[in-house]
């Protein structure tokens, strides 16, 4: 991007364009009160661009070289009882530099677990999002794992209009998705959703 190339503080005019190739295959299984989805994937990126904290005075963009990633995405849901649903997602990832064999600084496991209930016109849910630590890479030190709680609610005002709200990161945890990029503090959101 133009920022990665020309930003006065972090840009690098010597960057070459990334190219990538990948494939994935999946299966979905649906039962009357449950469902399961599984997708396996693999991709290779040549000239991957990443942020190098050791480049220049404040860090800057640099090329990773050739990286490979493969993994499995799983998701499922089950209706425990009428109007009470448990949902789960899980990502298992293997990501490394193809030239050096070093890990590329991404979390090996991440996912979310949620429990939702339908009570009249209300839908209430609690969701826990989590990620294991990201091992160090050529461009990034270790990033700690985390778990956060979100609370969500919606109320059906009519067939087409819904009031919704959510509290994200209820416990106001400090965490990073990638090194040097803190995630937002606790957030409260509300709005109206119109369905056509």
């Amino acid at each position: 991007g133009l920022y990665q190339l020309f930003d006065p503080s972090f840009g690098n005019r010597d960057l070459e364009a990334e190219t990538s190739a990948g494939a994935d295959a999946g299966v979905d299984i649906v039962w009357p009160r449950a469902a399961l989805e599984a997708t396996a994937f693999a991709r290779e990126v040549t000239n991957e661009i990443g942020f190098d904290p050791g480049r220049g005075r404040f860090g800057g963009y640099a090329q990773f070289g050739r990286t490979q990633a493969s993994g499995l995405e799983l998701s499922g849901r089950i209706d425990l009882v009428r109007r009470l649903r448990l949902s789960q997602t899980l990502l298992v990832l293997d990501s490394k530099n193809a030239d050096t064999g070093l890990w590329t600084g991404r979390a090996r496991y991440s996912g979310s677990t949620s429990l939702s209930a339908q009570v009249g016109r209300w839908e209430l849910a609690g969701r826990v999002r989590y990620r294991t630590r990201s091992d160090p890479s050529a461009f990034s030190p270790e990033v700690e794992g985390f778990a956060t709680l979100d609370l969500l609610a919606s109320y059906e005002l009519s067939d087409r209009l819904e009031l919704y709200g959510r509290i994200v990161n209820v416990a106001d945890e400090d965490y990073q998705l990638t090194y040097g990029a803190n995630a937002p503090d606790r957030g409260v959101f509300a709005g109206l959703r119109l369905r056509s």
Side-chain angles (χ1 to χ4, degrees):
L2 294 176
Y3 181 82
Q4 294 168 325
L5 286 168
F6 302 116
D7 178 74
S9 300
F10 308 115
N12 180 351
R13 294 177 186 223
D14 297 326
L15 293 175
E16 296 179 32
E18 289 183 354
T19 59
S20 63
D24 62 77
V27 61
D28 296 352
I29 304 171
V30 180
W31 296 277
R33 293 179 50 201
L36 178 66
E37 300 174 13
T39 303
F41 64 89
R43 71 174 176 268
E44 181 172 291
V45 180
T46 303
N47 294 327
E48 182 169 357
I49 297 171
F51 191 82
D52 179 1
R55 185 179 178 277
R57 186 173 172 193
F58 303 107
Y61 290 98
Q63 309 271 183
F64 272 99
R66 195 166 53 97
T67 61
Q68 294 174 330
S70 59
L72 181 65
E73 291 179 310
L74 298 170
S75 65
R77 62 168 174 79
I78 184 168
D79 295 335
L80 300 172
V81 294
R82 190 169 177 265
R83 298 184 179 272
L84 185 64
R85 173 172 289 178
L86 178 66
S87 302
Q88 176 68 51
T89 67
L90 178 66
L91 171 64
V92 181
L93 178 67
D94 181 43
S95 180
K96 61 187 176 186
N97 185 295
D99 301 318
T100 64
L102 294 174
W103 188 252
T104 58
R106 293 178 172 89
R108 193 174 298 273
Y109 303 100
S110 59
S112 67
T113 304
S114 63
L115 185 65
S116 60
Q118 196 100 33
V119 183
R121 291 177 172 261
W122 286 95
E123 183 170 355
L124 308 170
R127 175 180 63 201
V128 177
R129 294 176 292 129
Y130 40 85
R131 183 179 289 196
T132 59
R133 71 184 176 92
S134 300
D135 289 332
S137 71
F139 290 153
S140 169
E142 178 182 309
V143 176
E144 289 298 317
F146 67 87
T148 63
L149 172 67
D150 304 331
L151 298 176
L152 305 93
S154 63
Y155 182 77
E156 193 176 277
L157 296 169
S158 70
D159 290 343
R160 297 183 56 207
L161 190 60
E162 180 182 74
L163 174 68
Y164 70 89
R166 66 184 182 274
I167 305 173
V168 178
N169 191 7
V170 171
D172 202 20
E173 297 285 340
D174 288 326
Y175 66 95
Q176 298 181 49
L177 295 173
T178 57
Y179 177 73
N182 285 334
D185 296 330
R186 179 189 302 117
V188 179
F189 305 89
L192 288 170
R193 188 177 290 122
L194 179 64
R195 292 186 290 269
S196 57

